[in-house]
Structure formats: C-alpha cells, structure tokens
C-alpha cells in the first residue's frame, strides 16, 4: 500500500509539473536566450538556470520543453506567413489569368465576326466584279480616299507635351489590357505560382513588342522608382538623361529623356532614343508610367542625330502598376519598339526583328529585377562572402557594363582603332585614358594608374551553327583549359600589381593549373551567376609557377538555360586580387552568344562555324546553299568575343600583336568546341562525326573488342570485321556509351565513343580532365568499388541501373552497365571500359 501511495504521489507530482505558468520576467529572459540560440544544449540550459535566479524554480526539463514549444510556434508562424503569401499570390495570379481569359474570349469573338464578314465579302465578290457602273466606281473611289486622321499641330509648350502624354497614355493602356495588339504566349513561358509571370509577344505589329503581367512583393511607388532607373536593371542601357521635367495640372509628371543603348555585337551600331515619359495616377488608384518617342509625326521638340548611334523609335510603352490586396503590386509591362533593322547587315537583322529577344532583354529583365529586390528585402536570398546584395549587384553591373563598353568602343570614352595586320578578323581598339574609362573605380592604390599607357581591346564576331548558345557557354565556363592560356591569365592578373610582367610570347608546354569555381551569388531563378574563379598554380614559366600565388577572376555567367527562348548567353570575367575590395577596378573580357531566329535558311553547310565577316560577303539570300532547313536554321547564333589588356606606351605594339594572336587562338578553340558539341543537338539529317583515325585509336579499338570477347564470351559487334578501321568505326558509332578509364587510384577517362562524349557533354581533349568519381552518383560509386576486385580478377562485372552526371552537371539515366578489363598485346591491364546501355538525359 505504501508503494502504491508513493507511486500515486509521484504521478500527481508529474501531472502538476506538466503545466508551468511562466511570469513575464521569465518569458523575457527565455526569449533573450532564444534570440541568440534557438536550440540550446543541456549544459547551456543548466547554465541559464544558474545565471538567472528568476528561473531557479523551473526544472531543466521544463526549460527544454519551453524551447521546443517556442521553435514549434516559430515554425508554425513562418508556415502560416508563407501560406498567406502563396494565397495572395495565387489570388492575384487568378485575377490576371481571368483577365487574360476575358481578353482571349473577346479576341475569339472578334475573329469569328471578321471571319463571317470575310465570308460575306467573298460571296459578294462575283457580283461586285460584274458591276461596271459609274456609281460603283465612284463609291469605290470614295472608300479608298477616306482622309487619315491627322494629329493637331503641337509644340514644345507644356500644353502641347501634355496632349502627347495623354495620347500616349491612352495607346499604352489599350496595349496593356490586350486590346490594341494581338498577343501570343511566349514560347517556354508557362504561368503558375512560381513563374516570373505571364509573358506574351506579338509577331504582327509594327516593330517588335512584348507584354508581361506579374505579381511582385513591393508597393507601387517602389516598383515605379526601380523601373524608372533603367540603367540599374537594363544591361543594354548605357545612359539615361532627364533633360526636362515638369508637373502637370492633374498631379502627374512629364519628362523628356535621352537614352543610349549598347550594340550587342561588333558589327552593328548602337541605338539611342529621344522620348517623352508620363507618370500619373488613374482614378482606380493605379500608377502608370508610359513613354514614347518624340518624332515629326507626333510633334513636339526634337534633337539632332548623334554620331555612331542609330535613332530608334519607342512606340507607346510603359508600366501599369496596381496595388494588390494584402500588399504587393500587380504590374503590367509593355515594350514596343522599332529598332530600325534596315541599318544592320542582313545576317544580324533577326536580332532586331525578334519580339522574343526584346522580351528577354527588357520585359522579363524588369520583372526579374523587381522579384530579386523583393526577395532580398524579405531575407529569402542568401549571399556568400559577407557581401550585401547591393554590392554584389554593383559587381554584376560593372562586369556587364565594362564588357559592353569594350564591344562598342565609343570614342567619347577615349577609344580609337588601331591599324590591322592585313586580316580583318580581329579588331584592335586602344584607350589611352584609363582614368576616363574606369571613372570612379580607379584609385591611386591599384596598379592601373601606374601605367604609362592605357587599355587595349581585341574583339571579333563570328557566326555559329548547330550549337545552342547555352550549351556552348556552359562548356566554356566548365572547361576553361580548353580555350584559355595561363600565360595570358598571368599577364592580365599582373595589371593589378605595381610591376606587371613582360608581354608573354608563345611558349610550348607552358604550365597550366586547374580552376575552382567559388559561388558568390545568383539570381532567384538561377539565370545568372556571380562567382569567383580560383586559378591554381599558374605562372609564366614552371619556375615562376612554383613561387606564384593563386590567381582570381570575378566571373558573371548568364543565359545557360537551354529552354529560355531568345535568351542571350554570356560569360564575362575580370582579374581581381586577394583583397577583393568593393571598389576594386575591373577590366572585363568574355564571350556573348545570341541566338538568331532566322526566317530564311542558314548560310553554309551543317556542323560548321563561319567568320561573320565572310558571311556578310555572301550577298543575297539567293546565293546561299539550301542544304540547311527547318530546325538547323534555328540553331544559328552570333558569338562576340572581347578581351581587354593593359599596356605601357613603349610596349603597345607588342601587346597588340599578342592580343590579336590570342583572340585568334580563342576563336579557333571555340570553333573546335562548337563543332564537337554540335552533333548532340543536330537533326537526323546531319551526318555524325568521323572517328579519330590515329594508330593509337585503332589499336585501342582492337584491344577493347578482343577483351570483350575474351571475358564475356561473345562479340561486341555482330558484324564480322577484321580490319582495324572497320572495328574503330563500329565502336565509334555504337549506340551505347563506351568509355575507357585508367587503372589508377583516381581513375580518369582516356577515350570515349561518340555516344560517350554526348553522354558526358564533352570532347576527346577535355575528356581527360574528368575522373570517374565525378560522373557516378553515390550508388554507382559504391557498386563500382564493390565490384572492382571482380573486374580485376574475373575480367568483367555487370553494374545495375543508375544515374551519372555529365560534365555540365546534367543527370543521365542508364538501364544497366558492363565494365570489363582491357588487355594489351602483352596481356597486361591497359584500362577498364564501361558500356552504359540505353542511356538518356533525365
């Protein structure tokens, strides 16, 4: 009975201890600890009880329960907040979709009406054709000479500009609401709660046009402020000057703007705009920012043409910003322009005639900028290296702007052209005023101001065929050793030091190290990456490499999503020192690849890269070959390369020769890479690559087949071919991915057939930089190391289905694999071969 009583007392004591009522002082003390450490250890909780007398009457177990409950409440609060945000977003997206559905229904009704009207006109055509009366002729003439409404004469007075502004507002609103332009959904853009928005383009209007609707977590005033600051988010905007601004009687503002934009390639002129921008608030509380060009047809003031710029026209465009219930804004963006495509070579006109390109460069870029800033404000975006988001955005803008300046080479920035060496494939420009070029980013502590010379830029453009821009740029990013020269990297890095290296020459067997990619930041949708590249062990000579420290590059990579239609892919980098200061000078170089949406057949045959200058000499479309059609013409793109170097005055000619030779070697490397990557994306009409015909390859193919027959007991190929050339050809074109791997502690690949190279998304040269453990997943590595002994002793092993990664990081699945040991003529182990069957990218 005593034992039962004691148990009962203990139970009652335990029940009463489950519910502890904390005082406000106790809660405040616990909250202070929670803000510092949400999950304290047992020792920390005991220390808390000792240090806080007000908690001395609470058991450590109850303290532990309080922290558990507090973490649970915090988690529930965050989840509730997230669900409320998702609900608001879905509600707003539902509203946008319903409005879009209403617009499409009206468009269908209009098309049905027009269809019926045209049917009626066709039925009356025969009657109208036989009617030759004078009355018919007169009536017809009256219909043909209806006067076109003319704009009333307007001047630069506030009243005249307000008249233009109100007209611009009306035309913009009709486009924003989908009535004035026939919009079609942009390829690859699907609306949803996690999408950037609803993006549409028009292929039937005058010029190029794009429209987007989306929800952003910012108030309308902040949205308008960001979008008005066009140079901060539009990478192609060189400058935007507000020449005149005055308020209107209805509470709005009228501004006269002059804007300059960069040219995308070296063989086209830059554009400028002279526009009127009108900001006002509608009766329903919506904020509107609309804009249009001022020309002779609208009246108003004008400015003379500017040298080296082509005056483009902005048709009524702008932003309609509506406040959203619960916070945020619903925004509609319209971009409508006439970029004067007649002023560029015919091969480049698709860049200026594509509404998809305009949508990617302007419309979607604006939405992404708003979304990025909104998520940064909520703390959802995590950045590395302790940098603030604004600082990292500034680095990205400086890299992009510096590369654009190098490509364009404006004379008002101090650029001038040097004479050529007789071949016009590479253009050399010099800037003898680096302080003017760098502006405020140059300070007396860096090495750039110590030079007695300036900056030299070597640039070139070429036409690529049959290789997607995203795939090429990803390869250039991942395999820098395929095109870069370590001597040139060391020379560029030396510009940041007080005593730069001498001009490097062509050195056989130059030392080359490896690169390590250190992520720094990325945008919300991962369409742009800012990263630091660490180049290990580089030096101008092997002796210097031993003593030299690692070099660093700040790199910006964008547009590597193959599904983004019309997106430009870029890889821009600049040397930096170890300190990586916020105001460090940047001298960007890099690559830009822009897809061409050509409506005609491409010039040249398949699987080739052509120098763009030679492509311009082809002449009319009638002289082009007609071998390419359909999908192949859509794979054309323009590659622009620009590399910048510092120089001293007495070494200018030497640096120019070095830069010209280096850019030509980079062009040759890119052509080789493009030709190697092209077949994995070609149409069935394009022939496969020929196998390598070296004696070593022929011998290796024979050893592979003989070892397979020895270990497995069957032939690798059903056809009976004795000739080495036939064996190599069959091995090279085998449908399964066949790869040879060295027998080392860290196995690396030494050979692969065409399917193997396609699976790894690499070339025969870059293949040797890929180790086996990099492509196998965890299960694949376990399976291989488990069966490694069986492969060496028995000669072969079957591996189960699994997943491996390409050099670009894409997962590829395979049904099963076979690994066997390859013996040479002396029966010694030469390598291990893997054959992945029925593989495909996931």
């Amino acid at each position: 009975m005593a034992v039962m009583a004691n148990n009962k007392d203990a139970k009652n004591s335990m029940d009463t201890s489950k519910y502890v009522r904390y005082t406000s002082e106790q809660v405040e003390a616990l909250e202070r600890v929670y803000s510092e450490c949400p999950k304290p250890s047992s020792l920390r909780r005991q220390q808390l009880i000792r240090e806080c007398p007000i908690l001395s009457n609470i058991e450590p177990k109850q303290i532990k329960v309080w922290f558990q409950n507090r973490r649970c409440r915090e988690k529930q609060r965050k989840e509730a907040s997230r669900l409320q945000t998702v609900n608001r977003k879905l509600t707003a997206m539902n509203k946008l979709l319903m409005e879009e559905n209403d617009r499409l229904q009206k468009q269908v009704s209009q098309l049905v009406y027009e269809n019926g009207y045209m049917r009626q006109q066709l039925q009356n055509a025969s009657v109208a054709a036989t009617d030759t009366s004078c009355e018919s002729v007169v009536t017809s003439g009256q219909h043909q000479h209806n006067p076109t409404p003319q704009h009333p004469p307007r001047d630069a007075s506030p009243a005249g500009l307000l008249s233009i502004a109100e007209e611009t507002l009306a035309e913009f609103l009709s486009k924003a609401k989908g009535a004035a332009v026939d919009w079609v959904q942009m390829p690859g853009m699907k609306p949803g709660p996690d999408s950037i928005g609803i993006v549409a383009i028009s292929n039937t209007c005058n010029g190029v046009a794009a429209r987007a609707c989306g929800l952003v977590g910012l108030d309308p005033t902040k949205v308008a402020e960001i979008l008005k600051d066009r140079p901060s988010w539009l990478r192609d905007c060189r400058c935007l000057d507000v020449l005149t601004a005055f308020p209107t009687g209805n509470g709005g503002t009228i501004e006269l703007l002059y804007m300059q934009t960069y040219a995308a390639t070296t063989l086209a002129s830059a554009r400028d705009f002279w526009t009127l921008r009108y900001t006002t608030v509608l009766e329903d509380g919506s904020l509107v920012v609309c804009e249009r060009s001022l020309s002779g047809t609208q009246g108003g003031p004008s400015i003379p043409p500017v040298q080296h710029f082509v005056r483009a026209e902005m048709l009524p465009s702008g932003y309609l910003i509506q406040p959203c219930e619960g916070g945020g804004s619903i925004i509609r963006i319209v971009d409508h322009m006439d970029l004067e495509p007649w002023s560029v070579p015919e091969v480049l006109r698709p860049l200026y005639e594509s509404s998809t390109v305009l949508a990617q460069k302007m419309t979607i870029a604006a939405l992404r900028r708003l979304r990025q800033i909104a998520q940064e404000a909520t703390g959802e975006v995590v950045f590395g290296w302790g940098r603030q988001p604004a600082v990292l955005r500034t680095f990205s803008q400086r890299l992009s702007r510096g590369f654009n300046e190098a490509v364009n080479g404006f004379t008002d920035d101090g650029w001038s052209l040097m004479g050529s060496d007789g071949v016009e494939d590479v253009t050399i420009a010099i800037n003898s005023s680096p302080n003017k070029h760098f502006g405020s980013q140059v300070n007396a502590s860096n090495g750039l101001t110590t030079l007695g010379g300036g900056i030299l830029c070597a640039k070139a453009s070429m036409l690529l065929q049959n290789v997607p821009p995203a795939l090429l740029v990803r390869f250039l990013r991942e395999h820098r050793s395929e095109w870069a020269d370590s001597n040139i990297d060391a020379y560029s890095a030396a510009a940041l030091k007080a005593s730069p290296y001498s001009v490097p020459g062509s050195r056989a067997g130059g030392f080359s190290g490896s690169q390590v990619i250190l992520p720094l930041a990325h945008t919300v949708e991962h369409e742009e990456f800012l990263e630091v590249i660490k180049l290990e062990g580089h030096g101008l000579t092997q002796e210097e490499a031993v003593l030299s420290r690692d070099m660093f590059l700040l790199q910006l990579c964008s547009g590597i999503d193959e599904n983004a239609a019309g997106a430009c892919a870029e890889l821009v980098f600049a040397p930096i020192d170890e300190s990586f200061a916020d105001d460090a000078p940047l001298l960007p170089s890099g690559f830009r690849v822009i897809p061409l949406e050509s409506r005609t057949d491409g010039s040249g045959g398949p699987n080739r890269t052509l120098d763009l200058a030679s492509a311009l000499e082809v002449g009319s479309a009638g002289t082009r070959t007609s071998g390419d059609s359909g999908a192949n013409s859509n794979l054309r793109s323009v590659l622009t390369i620009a590399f910048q170097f510092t120089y001293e005055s007495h070494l200018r000619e030497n640096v120019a020769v070095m830069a010209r030779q280096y850019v030509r070697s980079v062009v040759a490397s890119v052509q080789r890479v493009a030709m190697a990557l092209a077949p994995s994306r070609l149409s069935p009409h394009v022939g496969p690559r020929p196998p390598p015909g070296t004696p070593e390859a022929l011998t290796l193919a024979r050893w592979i087949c003989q070892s397979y027959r020895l270990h497995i007991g069957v032939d690798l190929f059903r056809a009976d071919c004795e000739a080495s050339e036939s064996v190599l050809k069959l091995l090279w074109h085998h449908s399964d991915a066949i790869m040879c791997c060295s027998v080392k502690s860290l196995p690396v690949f030494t050979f692969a057939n065409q399917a193997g190279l396609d699976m790894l998304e690499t070339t025969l040269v870059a293949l040797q930089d890929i180790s086996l453990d990099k492509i196998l997943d965890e299960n694949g590595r376990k399976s291989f190391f488990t069966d490694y002994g069986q492969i060496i002793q028995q000669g072969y092993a079957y591996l189960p289905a699994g997943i491996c990664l390409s050099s670009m990081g894409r997962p590829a699945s395979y049904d099963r694999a076979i690994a066997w040991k390859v013996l040479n003529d002396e029966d010694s182990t030469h390598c291990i071969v893997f054959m992945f069957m029925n593989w495909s990218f996931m």
Side-chain angles (χ1 to χ4, degrees), residues 305-461:
V306 180
Q307 188 179 10
H308 306 303
F309 286 88
V310 173
R311 183 64 49 82
E313 182 181 4
M314 179 183 294
L315 289 87
S317 307
Y319 318 107
L320 173 61
I321 311 167
Q322 298 173 290
C324 184
E325 296 181 4
S329 305
I330 298 177
I331 179 172
R332 291 172 174 83
I333 301 176
V334 173
D335 292 310
H336 192 180
M337 297 182 177
D338 184 355
L339 299 175
E340 305 294 339
W342 57 267
S343 63
V344 301
E346 183 180 355
V347 69
L348 295 179
R349 288 182 186 175
L351 298 180
Y352 298 83
E353 296 175 338
S354 171
S355 295
T356 303
V357 173
L358 177 69
Q360 288 285 359
K361 294 171 69 173
M362 284 196 67
T363 317
I364 298 178
L367 278 179
R368 282 174 173 161
R369 175 70 167 198
L370 294 171
R371 189 177 182 185
Q372 183 77 22
I373 293 179
Q375 296 207 9
E376 288 174 3
T378 59
E380 298 180 26
V381 182
V382 179
F383 294 92
W385 296 40
R387 303 280 179 166
Q388 294 297 321
V391 175
L392 296 177
R393 286 200 304 269
T394 301
F395 275 126
S396 301
Q397 293 166 6
R398 289 173 55 193
L399 283 173
S400 180
R401 183 180 182 85
F403 182 71
N404 277 322
E405 293 286 354
V407 170
N408 287 263
F410 295 114
T411 56
D412 57 353
D413 281 333
W415 289 101
S416 60
L417 295 179
M418 286 186 65
S420 68
D421 60 351
V423 183
E424 301 292 340
D425 57 337
V426 178
T427 302
I428 301 293
I430 58 172
N431 192 326
S432 57
S433 304
N435 291 342
K436 182 178 181 181
H437 176 64
F438 280 100
S440 60
Q441 60 174 288
V442 174
N443 55 66
S445 62
N446 63 66
L448 291 171
T449 56
T450 65
L451 297 175
I455 301 169
L456 183 145
C457 178
K459 48 192 175 182
S461 294

Side-chain angles (χ1 to χ4, degrees), residues 773-821:
D773 63 317
K774 289 184 179 179
I775 73 161
L776 296 176
D777 61 357
E778 184 176 357
N779 293 331
R781 286 193 292 268
K782 289 181 180 179
S783 177
F784 170 72
F785 291 121
T786 302
D787 297 333
Y788 181 77
Q790 178 184 348
I791 297 173
I792 297 300
Q793 295 178 4
Q794 181 178 321
Y796 73 97
Y798 289 95
L799 305 179
I803 298 174
C804 64
L805 298 177
S806 73
S807 62
M808 302 297 182
R810 289 209 297 170
S813 63
Y814 56 90
D815 290 350
R816 65 190 182 104
I818 302 177
W820 70 92
K821 180 172 60 175

